[in-house]
DNA sequence: TTAGTGACTGTAG
DNA sequence: GCTACAGCCACTA
């Protein structure tokens, strides 16, 4: 299969270590289109139809806000997944987001 | 084929 | 500090 935009999104997202998070913009920038963060979210949305597991819950917006939660089965699914990895969520926002932030390399 | 849409972000007012 | 707008790329109707 060809190296498409969202194919790279899956690849990068799967590299996110357990208990760490990153932002849509960081992934988009790593791929080469810093302004195409929307596409990242869109790709992750379709990730549920992929055969491989993609930790989409580890990707949030630049403020650490769980904007993607609305695309999970339940509004608290994303929060619970992150908390189960040791990340503290406060009002749908990741506490100490900078400390948990993971930059693609 | 064209138009509309989206899990975002940076800049400008 | 908050609101508005413009780019971003791929998909669906």
């Amino acid at each position: 299969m060809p190296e498409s935009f969202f194919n790279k999104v899956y690849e990068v997202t799967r590299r996110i270590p357990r208990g760490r998070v990153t932002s849509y913009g960081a992934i988009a920038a790593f791929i080469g289109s810093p302004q195409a963060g929307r596409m990242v979210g869109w790709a992750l949305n379709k990730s549920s139809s992929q055969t491989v597991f993609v930790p989409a819950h580890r990707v949030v917006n630049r403020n650490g806000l769980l904007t993607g939660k609305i695309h999970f089965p339940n509004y608290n699914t994303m929060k619970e997944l992150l908390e189960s990895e040791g990340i503290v969520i406060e009002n749908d926002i990741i506490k100490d987001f900078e400390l948990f932030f993971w930059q693609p390399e």
Side-chain angles (χ1 to χ4, degrees):
Chain A
M1 59 200 281
E3 281 285 309
S4 61
F5 183 91
F6 65 78
N7 205 295
K8 292 180 180 175
V9 173
Y10 297 150
E11 209 172 297
V12 175
T13 306
R14 280 201 303 271
R15 287 187 194 142
I16 302 175
R18 186 181 183 285
R20 303 294 296 283
V21 294
T22 193
S23 70
Y24 302 99
I27 295 175
F30 178 75
I31 291 175
S33 306
Q35 304 299 105
R38 295 185 185 183
M39 301 303 91
V40 177
W42 173 83
L44 291 176
N45 180 230
K46 289 199 65 181
S47 70
S48 50
S49 60
Q50 298 296 305
T51 54
V52 293
F53 172 69
V54 180
H57 60 281
R58 293 179 189 151
V59 186
V60 297
N61 76 353
R62 63 177 176 139
N63 298 312
L65 179 63
L66 309 189
T67 50
K69 60 182 286 186
I70 63 177
H71 291 280
F72 280 79
N74 300 99
Y75 276 9
N76 60 336
T77 302
M78 191 173 188
K79 177 174 183 278
E80 292 181 352
L81 285 171
L82 290 171
E83 288 183 329
S84 70
E85 297 184 354
I87 295 174
V88 180
I89 310 297
E90 220 171 62
N91 218 352
D92 290 339
I93 298 176
I94 297 177
K95 187 176 173 61
D96 298 323
F97 177 57
E98 297 177 351
L99 298 181
F100 292 111
F101 187 78
W102 175 83
Q103 178 78 36
E105 353 184 29

